[in-house]
Amino acid sequence: MSDDQKGFEDDVREVTVLQQLGYQQELKRSFGLLGMIGFSFSIVTCWTALSGVLIIGVVSGGPLVMIYSWIGICIFSLAVAYSMAEICSAYPVAGGQYSWVAVLAPPRVARGMSWITGWFMITGILAMGATNNFIGANFILGQANLSFPNYTIERWHTVLVTYLIVICCAVVNLYGPHLLDRISRGMLVWNISAFVIVVTVILATNDRKQSASFVFKDFQNSTGFGTAFTTILGLLQSFFGMCCYDAPAHMTEEMRNASREAPKAIVMSVYLGAITGLIFLISVCFCIGDIGETAGSSTLVPLIQIFKDSTQSVVGSCFLSSLILVVVLVASNALMVEGSRSLYAFARDHGLPFSPLFARVEKKRQIPIYAILLACVVQMALNSIYFGTLTGFNTVISIATEGFYLSYAMPLLSRLLAYLTSHVKKIPGPYSLGAYSVPLNAIGLVFLTFGCITFNFPILSPVNKDNMNYTSAAIGVIGLISVVTWLTTGRKNFTGPQIGVENINVVVGPEKFRESEGGVF
């Protein structure tokens, strides 16, 4: 069998799966495995994500908590990634988590749980896009401050730069969709190369390294809380750094052989992120200077200060920062892709106001134009919060992570409920965990639940209105909105994926095969 014929058969099989879920193929399948690993890793890209929230770890336990918490969280994240990969293999649809909940949850509550999951999922993705734009803007302006010390960074400067990033990403999404696979493959090379260069340079140039005791034993606490609570707060950096690995699930309708390749991309992105993140953290912790000076850097980016302390060169620091900046900007673009596909999928199931508009796909380029524009507008609105308050935008950052983790937890909960009620005993996809499926789901669910609780804690003491963590209130509002909209409109209009609607006959080359209601695997 030739590669072209095999590729054709794979595409037909994926279209069949989509039809059995009640959808038509509208988006172009252009991504291969390598491109999707690059796409997912450009979003997960843990080492750059950790650098963007380095200050949390520096003051909440220091290197000791940063390194060991990273190891633990990566191990538990693999349980989640493997569980989601198995489900994605059976149900490769752009809706991702909310679609899986609709399939796996007990029928009586499936649509309602799916609706709520969709709201948290979309909130998390769009808020993470805004957060990533904020990190990119900080790196740009931080380099400007380093190069021109008399320049003072103002909040409105940061917001305007985030707008520019959003607009650039929207242009690429609208006019360069055919380039996404190439960009993702090239980004995989750039990402790993930048990682090697950054780590090598700071270790080679820094002649005032911290001791092994400082990195692996000493506990740093600038939060005002006790040791135990501070340790829990220190986990937040690692929780944020290991996130977004669901990205391939939302791109399955644009992947070739998605039911087999998307699960691999999910798991591989976690392994790549875990390894690069650990090496990066250890390297940065050895090279960090005075913690107070690093945390209070006028660049507003502690990592840029670490680069300056290591290289003793403004040019060298800007070069290393620019390597990371490219990764961050491409991540912003990828998050807009992921966000728009999620909005498109949810609108296709009548989950949004004006759903027919946002579910519309432009025929020539085969992209959801209005969903892309909606993602652009929402990200800009979230970034605009920083005009008024840093505390408010810090809540956006927390919402981003908690939205993702809640949307990860719901399919795992649904999977366990499906197993316990015998609704779905075995996931039918080709990527199977076998006897490990239920235990890994249970471990992952407990881990995600713990994380979701942790995100709501204040990070400084004494707690006041300026440093209060308003995540619980924001999540409560989102939950309330999802419940109210479900009772008013969603219960009547929301559809979700349809399983086993009809038997499908599909021609594959010269052969014909019949798929049954039970699935195509």
Side-chain angles (χ1 to χ4, degrees), residues 243-269:
C243 194
C244 309
Y245 43 86
D246 63 313
H250 303 290
M251 302 300 293
T252 49
E253 295 179 36
E254 296 172 68
M255 283 188 70
R256 296 183 293 272
N257 199 12
S259 58
R260 295 184 182 274
E261 307 295 19
K264 297 176 186 176
I266 291 173
V267 175
M268 280 297 297
S269 62

PDB file of all heavy atoms in Angstrom, residues 243-269:
ATOM      1  N   CYS A 243       0.708  23.072  32.004  1.00  0.00           N
ATOM      2  CA  CYS A 243      -0.690  23.307  31.656  1.00  0.00           C
ATOM      3  C   CYS A 243      -0.826  23.320  30.131  1.00  0.00           C
ATOM      4  O   CYS A 243       0.180  23.335  29.407  1.00  0.00           O
ATOM      5  CB  CYS A 243      -1.144  24.641  32.263  1.00  0.00           C
ATOM      6  SG  CYS A 243      -2.918  24.897  32.274  1.00  0.00           S
ATOM      7  N   CYS A 244      -2.035  23.278  29.647  1.00  0.00           N
ATOM      8  CA  CYS A 244      -2.354  23.465  28.226  1.00  0.00           C
ATOM      9  C   CYS A 244      -1.998  22.277  27.341  1.00  0.00           C
ATOM     10  O   CYS A 244      -2.006  22.409  26.110  1.00  0.00           O
ATOM     11  CB  CYS A 244      -1.664  24.717  27.674  1.00  0.00           C
ATOM     12  SG  CYS A 244      -1.913  26.212  28.624  1.00  0.00           S
ATOM     13  N   TYR A 245      -1.691  21.120  27.918  1.00  0.00           N
ATOM     14  CA  TYR A 245      -1.313  19.989  27.074  1.00  0.00           C
ATOM     15  C   TYR A 245      -2.513  19.319  26.408  1.00  0.00           C
ATOM     16  O   TYR A 245      -2.368  18.294  25.732  1.00  0.00           O
ATOM     17  CB  TYR A 245      -0.500  18.963  27.871  1.00  0.00           C
ATOM     18  CG  TYR A 245      -1.000  18.658  29.260  1.00  0.00           C
ATOM     19  CD1 TYR A 245      -1.974  17.700  29.486  1.00  0.00           C
ATOM     20  CD2 TYR A 245      -0.482  19.338  30.364  1.00  0.00           C
ATOM     21  CE1 TYR A 245      -2.431  17.411  30.765  1.00  0.00           C
ATOM     22  CE2 TYR A 245      -0.927  19.060  31.653  1.00  0.00           C
ATOM     23  CZ  TYR A 245      -1.900  18.101  31.846  1.00  0.00           C
ATOM     24  OH  TYR A 245      -2.352  17.832  33.124  1.00  0.00           O
ATOM     25  N   ASP A 246      -3.698  19.887  26.574  1.00  0.00           N
ATOM     26  CA  ASP A 246      -4.872  19.409  25.850  1.00  0.00           C
ATOM     27  C   ASP A 246      -4.937  19.957  24.430  1.00  0.00           C
ATOM     28  O   ASP A 246      -5.837  19.582  23.663  1.00  0.00           O
ATOM     29  CB  ASP A 246      -6.137  19.831  26.598  1.00  0.00           C
ATOM     30  CG  ASP A 246      -6.260  21.357  26.664  1.00  0.00           C
ATOM     31  OD1 ASP A 246      -5.255  22.015  27.007  1.00  0.00           O
ATOM     32  OD2 ASP A 246      -7.343  21.893  26.378  1.00  0.00           O
ATOM     33  N   ALA A 247      -4.001  20.825  24.051  1.00  0.00           N
ATOM     34  CA  ALA A 247      -4.066  21.522  22.763  1.00  0.00           C
ATOM     35  C   ALA A 247      -4.311  20.598  21.572  1.00  0.00           C
ATOM     36  O   ALA A 247      -5.153  20.906  20.711  1.00  0.00           O
ATOM     37  CB  ALA A 247      -2.789  22.340  22.549  1.00  0.00           C
ATOM     38  N   PRO A 248      -3.613  19.446  21.448  1.00  0.00           N
ATOM     39  CA  PRO A 248      -3.873  18.582  20.286  1.00  0.00           C
ATOM     40  C   PRO A 248      -5.315  18.110  20.186  1.00  0.00           C
ATOM     41  O   PRO A 248      -5.819  17.864  19.080  1.00  0.00           O
ATOM     42  CB  PRO A 248      -2.913  17.398  20.505  1.00  0.00           C
ATOM     43  CG  PRO A 248      -1.809  17.950  21.340  1.00  0.00           C
ATOM     44  CD  PRO A 248      -2.483  18.940  22.256  1.00  0.00           C
ATOM     45  N   ALA A 249      -5.999  17.990  21.324  1.00  0.00           N
ATOM     46  CA  ALA A 249      -7.391  17.531  21.304  1.00  0.00           C
ATOM     47  C   ALA A 249      -8.281  18.494  20.527  1.00  0.00           C
ATOM     48  O   ALA A 249      -9.232  18.071  19.856  1.00  0.00           O
ATOM     49  CB  ALA A 249      -7.906  17.375  22.739  1.00  0.00           C
ATOM     50  N   HIS A 250      -7.976  19.794  20.597  1.00  0.00           N
ATOM     51  CA  HIS A 250      -8.798  20.788  19.910  1.00  0.00           C
ATOM     52  C   HIS A 250      -8.408  20.951  18.441  1.00  0.00           C
ATOM     53  O   HIS A 250      -9.075  21.681  17.705  1.00  0.00           O
ATOM     54  CB  HIS A 250      -8.679  22.129  20.638  1.00  0.00           C
ATOM     55  CG  HIS A 250      -9.058  22.048  22.073  1.00  0.00           C
ATOM     56  ND1 HIS A 250     -10.354  21.848  22.499  1.00  0.00           N
ATOM     57  CD2 HIS A 250      -8.298  22.085  23.211  1.00  0.00           C
ATOM     58  CE1 HIS A 250     -10.379  21.794  23.819  1.00  0.00           C
ATOM     59  NE2 HIS A 250      -9.151  21.929  24.273  1.00  0.00           N
ATOM     60  N   MET A 251      -7.339  20.277  18.038  1.00  0.00           N
ATOM     61  CA  MET A 251      -6.879  20.356  16.652  1.00  0.00           C
ATOM     62  C   MET A 251      -7.082  19.042  15.909  1.00  0.00           C
ATOM     63  O   MET A 251      -6.581  18.872  14.804  1.00  0.00           O
ATOM     64  CB  MET A 251      -5.389  20.736  16.635  1.00  0.00           C
ATOM     65  CG  MET A 251      -5.052  22.040  17.313  1.00  0.00           C
ATOM     66  SD  MET A 251      -5.882  23.464  16.574  1.00  0.00           S
ATOM     67  CE  MET A 251      -5.082  23.502  14.978  1.00  0.00           C
ATOM     68  N   THR A 252      -7.812  18.099  16.499  1.00  0.00           N
ATOM     69  CA  THR A 252      -7.961  16.775  15.897  1.00  0.00           C
ATOM     70  C   THR A 252      -8.658  16.822  14.543  1.00  0.00           C
ATOM     71  O   THR A 252      -8.410  15.969  13.690  1.00  0.00           O
ATOM     72  CB  THR A 252      -8.751  15.839  16.831  1.00  0.00           C
ATOM     73  OG1 THR A 252      -9.945  16.507  17.267  1.00  0.00           O
ATOM     74  CG2 THR A 252      -7.923  15.455  18.047  1.00  0.00           C
ATOM     75  N   GLU A 253      -9.528  17.809  14.341  1.00  0.00           N
ATOM     76  CA  GLU A 253     -10.220  17.903  13.052  1.00  0.00           C
ATOM     77  C   GLU A 253      -9.348  18.538  11.976  1.00  0.00           C
ATOM     78  O   GLU A 253      -9.785  18.696  10.831  1.00  0.00           O
ATOM     79  CB  GLU A 253     -11.531  18.676  13.233  1.00  0.00           C
ATOM     80  CG  GLU A 253     -12.529  17.943  14.120  1.00  0.00           C
ATOM     81  CD  GLU A 253     -13.821  18.704  14.327  1.00  0.00           C
ATOM     82  OE1 GLU A 253     -14.271  19.378  13.375  1.00  0.00           O
ATOM     83  OE2 GLU A 253     -14.395  18.625  15.434  1.00  0.00           O
ATOM     84  N   GLU A 254      -8.116  18.903  12.362  1.00  0.00           N
ATOM     85  CA  GLU A 254      -7.149  19.430  11.395  1.00  0.00           C
ATOM     86  C   GLU A 254      -5.882  18.577  11.346  1.00  0.00           C
ATOM     87  O   GLU A 254      -4.867  19.004  10.807  1.00  0.00           O
ATOM     88  CB  GLU A 254      -6.807  20.877  11.754  1.00  0.00           C
ATOM     89  CG  GLU A 254      -8.001  21.798  11.634  1.00  0.00           C
ATOM     90  CD  GLU A 254      -7.739  23.191  12.180  1.00  0.00           C
ATOM     91  OE1 GLU A 254      -6.932  23.920  11.576  1.00  0.00           O
ATOM     92  OE2 GLU A 254      -8.349  23.536  13.216  1.00  0.00           O
ATOM     93  N   MET A 255      -5.969  17.365  11.928  1.00  0.00           N
ATOM     94  CA  MET A 255      -4.832  16.444  11.949  1.00  0.00           C
ATOM     95  C   MET A 255      -5.101  15.238  11.061  1.00  0.00           C
ATOM     96  O   MET A 255      -6.229  14.761  10.961  1.00  0.00           O
ATOM     97  CB  MET A 255      -4.573  15.930  13.370  1.00  0.00           C
ATOM     98  CG  MET A 255      -3.881  16.871  14.293  1.00  0.00           C
ATOM     99  SD  MET A 255      -3.439  16.032  15.847  1.00  0.00           S
ATOM    100  CE  MET A 255      -2.147  14.925  15.272  1.00  0.00           C
ATOM    101  N   ARG A 256      -4.053  14.750  10.452  1.00  0.00           N
ATOM    102  CA  ARG A 256      -4.134  13.484   9.737  1.00  0.00           C
ATOM    103  C   ARG A 256      -3.964  12.344  10.740  1.00  0.00           C
ATOM    104  O   ARG A 256      -3.103  12.397  11.602  1.00  0.00           O
ATOM    105  CB  ARG A 256      -3.041  13.415   8.661  1.00  0.00           C
ATOM    106  CG  ARG A 256      -3.206  14.473   7.562  1.00  0.00           C
ATOM    107  CD  ARG A 256      -2.153  14.320   6.472  1.00  0.00           C
ATOM    108  NE  ARG A 256      -0.812  14.620   6.964  1.00  0.00           N
ATOM    109  CZ  ARG A 256      -0.276  15.834   6.969  1.00  0.00           C
ATOM    110  NH1 ARG A 256      -0.969  16.869   6.523  1.00  0.00           N
ATOM    111  NH2 ARG A 256       0.949  16.030   7.414  1.00  0.00           N
ATOM    112  N   ASN A 257      -4.814  11.328  10.627  1.00  0.00           N
ATOM    113  CA  ASN A 257      -4.777  10.167  11.519  1.00  0.00           C
ATOM    114  C   ASN A 257      -4.832  10.614  12.984  1.00  0.00           C
ATOM    115  O   ASN A 257      -4.056  10.156  13.828  1.00  0.00           O
ATOM    116  CB  ASN A 257      -3.512   9.333  11.259  1.00  0.00           C
ATOM    117  CG  ASN A 257      -3.621   7.920  11.785  1.00  0.00           C
ATOM    118  OD1 ASN A 257      -4.704   7.459  12.151  1.00  0.00           O
ATOM    119  ND2 ASN A 257      -2.498   7.222  11.850  1.00  0.00           N
ATOM    120  N   ALA A 258      -5.787  11.489  13.276  1.00  0.00           N
ATOM    121  CA  ALA A 258      -5.847  12.143  14.588  1.00  0.00           C
ATOM    122  C   ALA A 258      -6.039  11.161  15.740  1.00  0.00           C
ATOM    123  O   ALA A 258      -5.498  11.361  16.829  1.00  0.00           O
ATOM    124  CB  ALA A 258      -6.973  13.175  14.592  1.00  0.00           C
ATOM    125  N   SER A 259      -6.823  10.103  15.532  1.00  0.00           N
ATOM    126  CA  SER A 259      -7.111   9.197  16.636  1.00  0.00           C
ATOM    127  C   SER A 259      -5.869   8.483  17.147  1.00  0.00           C
ATOM    128  O   SER A 259      -5.833   8.026  18.293  1.00  0.00           O
ATOM    129  CB  SER A 259      -8.163   8.169  16.216  1.00  0.00           C
ATOM    130  OG  SER A 259      -7.720   7.435  15.089  1.00  0.00           O
ATOM    131  N   ARG A 260      -4.844   8.387  16.318  1.00  0.00           N
ATOM    132  CA  ARG A 260      -3.589   7.768  16.746  1.00  0.00           C
ATOM    133  C   ARG A 260      -2.503   8.794  17.071  1.00  0.00           C
ATOM    134  O   ARG A 260      -1.696   8.583  17.980  1.00  0.00           O
ATOM    135  CB  ARG A 260      -3.073   6.814  15.658  1.00  0.00           C
ATOM    136  CG  ARG A 260      -3.994   5.628  15.416  1.00  0.00           C
ATOM    137  CD  ARG A 260      -3.405   4.654  14.395  1.00  0.00           C
ATOM    138  NE  ARG A 260      -4.330   3.557  14.137  1.00  0.00           N
ATOM    139  CZ  ARG A 260      -4.403   2.455  14.873  1.00  0.00           C
ATOM    140  NH1 ARG A 260      -3.603   2.313  15.919  1.00  0.00           N
ATOM    141  NH2 ARG A 260      -5.276   1.508  14.597  1.00  0.00           N
ATOM    142  N   GLU A 261      -2.482   9.891  16.346  1.00  0.00           N
ATOM    143  CA  GLU A 261      -1.377  10.838  16.497  1.00  0.00           C
ATOM    144  C   GLU A 261      -1.630  11.888  17.583  1.00  0.00           C
ATOM    145  O   GLU A 261      -0.700  12.304  18.276  1.00  0.00           O
ATOM    146  CB  GLU A 261      -1.099  11.550  15.162  1.00  0.00           C
ATOM    147  CG  GLU A 261      -0.873  10.612  13.970  1.00  0.00           C
ATOM    148  CD  GLU A 261       0.384   9.766  14.101  1.00  0.00           C
ATOM    149  OE1 GLU A 261       0.903   9.613  15.228  1.00  0.00           O
ATOM    150  OE2 GLU A 261       0.847   9.234  13.089  1.00  0.00           O
ATOM    151  N   ALA A 262      -2.883  12.327  17.742  1.00  0.00           N
ATOM    152  CA  ALA A 262      -3.174  13.347  18.762  1.00  0.00           C
ATOM    153  C   ALA A 262      -2.828  12.863  20.173  1.00  0.00           C
ATOM    154  O   ALA A 262      -2.229  13.620  20.954  1.00  0.00           O
ATOM    155  CB  ALA A 262      -4.638  13.780  18.679  1.00  0.00           C
ATOM    156  N   PRO A 263      -3.169  11.615  20.545  1.00  0.00           N
ATOM    157  CA  PRO A 263      -2.775  11.151  21.883  1.00  0.00           C
ATOM    158  C   PRO A 263      -1.269  11.166  22.092  1.00  0.00           C
ATOM    159  O   PRO A 263      -0.795  11.510  23.184  1.00  0.00           O
ATOM    160  CB  PRO A 263      -3.334   9.723  21.928  1.00  0.00           C
ATOM    161  CG  PRO A 263      -4.444   9.711  20.948  1.00  0.00           C
ATOM    162  CD  PRO A 263      -4.018  10.628  19.854  1.00  0.00           C
ATOM    163  N   LYS A 264      -0.515  10.800  21.064  1.00  0.00           N
ATOM    164  CA  LYS A 264       0.942  10.822  21.176  1.00  0.00           C
ATOM    165  C   LYS A 264       1.437  12.250  21.415  1.00  0.00           C
ATOM    166  O   LYS A 264       2.345  12.478  22.217  1.00  0.00           O
ATOM    167  CB  LYS A 264       1.585  10.264  19.904  1.00  0.00           C
ATOM    168  CG  LYS A 264       1.263   8.805  19.623  1.00  0.00           C
ATOM    169  CD  LYS A 264       1.870   8.379  18.282  1.00  0.00           C
ATOM    170  CE  LYS A 264       1.442   6.967  17.895  1.00  0.00           C
ATOM    171  NZ  LYS A 264       1.959   6.595  16.555  1.00  0.00           N
ATOM    172  N   ALA A 265       0.834  13.208  20.708  1.00  0.00           N
ATOM    173  CA  ALA A 265       1.251  14.603  20.853  1.00  0.00           C
ATOM    174  C   ALA A 265       0.952  15.120  22.260  1.00  0.00           C
ATOM    175  O   ALA A 265       1.743  15.879  22.833  1.00  0.00           O
ATOM    176  CB  ALA A 265       0.549  15.472  19.807  1.00  0.00           C
ATOM    177  N   ILE A 266      -0.187  14.717  22.833  1.00  0.00           N
ATOM    178  CA  ILE A 266      -0.538  15.136  24.195  1.00  0.00           C
ATOM    179  C   ILE A 266       0.518  14.658  25.187  1.00  0.00           C
ATOM    180  O   ILE A 266       1.049  15.431  25.996  1.00  0.00           O
ATOM    181  CB  ILE A 266      -1.924  14.592  24.593  1.00  0.00           C
ATOM    182  CG1 ILE A 266      -3.020  15.290  23.784  1.00  0.00           C
ATOM    183  CG2 ILE A 266      -2.176  14.789  26.093  1.00  0.00           C
ATOM    184  CD1 ILE A 266      -4.410  14.701  23.986  1.00  0.00           C
ATOM    185  N   VAL A 267       0.843  13.379  25.122  1.00  0.00           N
ATOM    186  CA  VAL A 267       1.784  12.795  26.082  1.00  0.00           C
ATOM    187  C   VAL A 267       3.205  13.296  25.843  1.00  0.00           C
ATOM    188  O   VAL A 267       3.922  13.637  26.796  1.00  0.00           O
ATOM    189  CB  VAL A 267       1.724  11.253  26.011  1.00  0.00           C
ATOM    190  CG1 VAL A 267       2.790  10.638  26.908  1.00  0.00           C
ATOM    191  CG2 VAL A 267       0.340  10.756  26.415  1.00  0.00           C
ATOM    192  N   MET A 268       3.612  13.378  24.579  1.00  0.00           N
ATOM    193  CA  MET A 268       4.975  13.825  24.269  1.00  0.00           C
ATOM    194  C   MET A 268       5.225  15.251  24.729  1.00  0.00           C
ATOM    195  O   MET A 268       6.321  15.576  25.193  1.00  0.00           O
ATOM    196  CB  MET A 268       5.239  13.706  22.774  1.00  0.00           C
ATOM    197  CG  MET A 268       5.572  12.314  22.289  1.00  0.00           C
ATOM    198  SD  MET A 268       7.111  11.695  23.025  1.00  0.00           S
ATOM    199  CE  MET A 268       8.288  12.890  22.372  1.00  0.00           C
ATOM    200  N   SER A 269       4.215  16.112  24.614  1.00  0.00           N
ATOM    201  CA  SER A 269       4.400  17.503  25.031  1.00  0.00           C
ATOM    202  C   SER A 269       4.635  17.593  26.534  1.00  0.00           C
ATOM    203  O   SER A 269       5.398  18.450  26.997  1.00  0.00           O
ATOM    204  CB  SER A 269       3.187  18.351  24.627  1.00  0.00           C
ATOM    205  OG  SER A 269       2.006  17.895  25.266  1.00  0.00           O
TER     206      SER A 269
END
